[in-house]
């Protein structure tokens, strides 16, 4: 058999398997079909004569051989990424400005750690968040008041590029002794007699209303709050129910403050994208910011899905 040399793509595949715990999710992460990823791993196992992980474990459990290669990947891949960043800085220069706009209240929970990570590699790039909550982030890009934006929908606009970040589940939240806590899945009709606690944003920016309730003519009583923790406190006090991202509320669920339930049989899922001007697509630090945000999100936030 022709020898198989260990390559960076193999290490990236192993890291994806480690972080997702699933062959199918890892395949999406590294842009392979599931069969192609399985074949890649099988060739490595044949080469070394050792299994790398246990096939029937869920999530995947790596063998000693697999963990050794994971350790190697964690040592080598960051060095490769940093070398590529250095080459970009040599080619394009290290300084610049990156103004960021967001249209979701919970974005800061995961965006700030990514920004901290980015600063370690691009210390001369001035990062700035455009103050306030914005409903027209694309307009900010077009008028150069922002350089990079987090958006929840792709709005086809000449001169603007959208790149996928991730998909996540929105879960229904109620107090532990609320009547809806007895139901594992909430349907649209379950919200009719409830007070819905949301962020103070237009209805068309709330997926629960736009995708689930309004199509059925349901418009429950509303109460708003700017802060996630304030919404959690209101829900725990039985002042109403809410629908928030699972990754944003998991710490409160772990502490037992409130309970989470699936919304509709299919689940309610939302998407996030990074948007920037096409003319800036070759700017190295803008491209690296996107990769940093995406990588940081998948490594730290629970329950994310690949968005194609």
């Amino acid at each position: 058999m022709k020898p198989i040399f260990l390559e960076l793509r193999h290490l990236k595949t192993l890291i994806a398997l480690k972080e997702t715990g699933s062959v199918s999710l890892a395949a999406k992460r590294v842009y392979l079909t599931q069969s192609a990823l399985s074949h890649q791993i099988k060739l490595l196992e044949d080469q070394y004569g050792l299994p790398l992980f246990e096939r029937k474990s869920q999530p995947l459990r790596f063998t000693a051989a697999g963990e050794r290669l994971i350790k190697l990947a964690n040592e080598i891949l960051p060095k490769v990424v940093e070398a590529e960043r250095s080459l970009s800085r040599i080619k394009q220069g290290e300084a610049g400005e990156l103004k960021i706009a967001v249209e979701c209240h919970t974005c800061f929970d995961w965006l700030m750690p990514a920004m901290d990570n980015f600063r370690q590699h691009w210390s001369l790039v001035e990062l700035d968040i455009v103050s306030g909550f914005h409903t027209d982030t694309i307009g900010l890009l077009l008028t150069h008041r922002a350089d990079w934006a987090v958006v929840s929908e792709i709005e086809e606009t000449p001169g603007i590029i959208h790149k996928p970040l991730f998909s996540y589940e929105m879960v229904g939240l109620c107090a532990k002794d609320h009547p809806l806590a007895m139901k594992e899945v909430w349907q649209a009709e379950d919200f009719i007699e409830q007070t819905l606690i949301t962020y103070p944003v237009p209805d068309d920016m709330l997926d629960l209303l736009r995708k689930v309730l309004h199509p059925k003519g349901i418009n429950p009583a509303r109460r708003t709050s700017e802060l996630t923790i304030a919404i959690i406190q209101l829900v725990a006090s039985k002042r109403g129910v809410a629908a928030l991202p699972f990754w944003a509320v998991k710490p409160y669920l772990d502490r037992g403050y409130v309970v989470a339930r699936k919304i509709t049989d299919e689940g309610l899922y939302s998407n996030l994208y990074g948007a920037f001007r096409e003319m800036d697509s070759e700017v190295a630090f803008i491209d690296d910011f996107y990769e940093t945000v995406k990588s940081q999100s998948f490594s730290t936030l629970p329950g994310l899905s690949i968005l194609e």
Side-chain angles (χ1 to χ4, degrees):
M1 182 178 68
K2 184 179 179 181
I4 302 297
F5 296 102
L6 192 62
E7 301 177 15
L8 291 177
R9 63 190 178 98
H10 298 138
L11 299 181
K12 291 177 180 178
T13 295
L14 290 170
I15 289 295
L17 284 167
K18 181 73 171 180
E19 291 184 351
T20 63
S22 161
V23 173
S24 60
L25 293 179
K28 290 182 179 180
R29 178 85 68 89
V30 295
Y31 304 104
L32 292 175
T33 64
Q34 188 170 334
S35 60
L37 184 144
S38 297
H39 180 67
Q40 185 184 110
I41 295 297
K42 184 65 167 57
L43 289 176
L44 280 178
E45 292 179 325
D46 291 344
Q47 173 69 21
Y48 297 118
L50 292 166
L52 298 182
F53 59 86
E54 298 176 15
R55 262 35 180 204
K56 296 183 178 181
S57 61
Q58 187 63 36
L60 292 178
R61 188 160 53 247
F62 281 82
T63 63
E67 290 290 356
R68 181 62 187 88
L69 290 182
I70 291 292
K71 180 181 178 182
L72 177 66
N74 286 329
E75 293 171 351
I76 289 180
L77 291 178
K79 295 180 180 179
V80 172
V81 171
E82 181 53 37
E84 291 174 340
R85 285 181 176 131
S86 295
L87 293 176
S88 295
R89 288 193 288 264
I90 291 171
K91 180 180 179 180
Q92 298 187 9
E94 299 186 25
E97 183 180 21
L98 184 56
K99 299 186 293 294
I100 303 161
V102 301
E103 63 172 35
C104 61
H105 281 74
T106 53
C107 287
F108 295 106
D109 294 344
W110 52 265
L111 191 57
M112 295 304 291
M115 292 173 66
D116 288 341
N117 187 309
F118 177 83
R119 287 189 188 95
Q120 296 176 27
H121 308 289
W122 297 89
S123 59
L124 297 183
V125 173
E126 183 179 346
L127 284 177
D128 188 20
I129 293 181
V130 182
S131 61
F133 172 78
H134 302 281
T135 58
D136 184 21
T137 51
I138 299 302
L140 294 176
L141 293 175
L142 292 173
T143 55
H144 292 257
R145 288 177 289 167
D147 305 302
W148 203 89
V150 179
V151 299
S152 56
E153 298 286 338
I154 293 181
E155 180 183 336
E156 296 293 350
T157 306
I160 298 297
I161 292 175
H162 295 80
K163 296 182 73 172
L165 289 172
F166 52 80
S167 178
Y168 60 93
E169 185 175 9
M170 299 286 291
V171 292
L173 302 172
C174 67
K176 292 180 287 185
D177 57 347
H178 191 285
L180 283 180
M182 302 296 293
K183 299 192 65 174
E184 291 300 319
V185 180
W186 296 357
Q187 305 297 342
E189 293 75 15
D190 291 317
F191 290 87
I192 293 176
E193 300 298 327
Q194 305 301 322
T195 295
L196 180 62
I197 306 170
T198 71
Y199 299 111
V201 300
D203 285 2
D204 61 2
M205 299 189 70
L206 294 170
D207 284 351
L208 174 65
L209 294 175
R210 185 167 57 88
K211 297 180 180 180
V212 179
L213 301 187
H214 284 177
K216 292 198 172 186
I218 297 171
N219 191 24
R222 296 277 293 281
R223 180 169 180 171
T224 63
S225 177
E226 291 275 0
L227 302 176
T228 301
I229 183 60
I231 292 177
I232 296 295
Q233 290 174 341
L234 290 169
V235 169
S237 301
K238 298 176 71 172
R239 302 296 181 86
V241 299
L244 293 175
F246 172 74
W247 52 265
V249 300
K250 188 175 184 302
Y252 308 112
L253 299 176
D254 292 343
R255 296 185 181 97
Y257 294 164
V258 294
V259 296
R261 296 294 181 259
K262 187 176 181 179
I263 300 175
T264 76
D265 295 331
E266 299 76 25
L268 176 59
Y269 293 89
S270 299
N271 304 325
L272 287 179
Y273 305 84
F276 52 91
R277 290 181 295 272
E278 186 175 9
M279 61 183 292
D280 294 332
S281 60
E282 299 300 320
V283 178
F285 63 78
I286 288 182
D287 182 64
D288 191 58
F289 184 74
Y290 166 76
E291 295 296 338
T292 299
V293 168
K294 188 174 181 180
S295 175
Q296 182 83 12
S297 300
F298 275 103
S299 64
T300 58
L301 299 180
L304 301 189
S305 300
I306 301 293
L307 181 57
E308 298 177 353

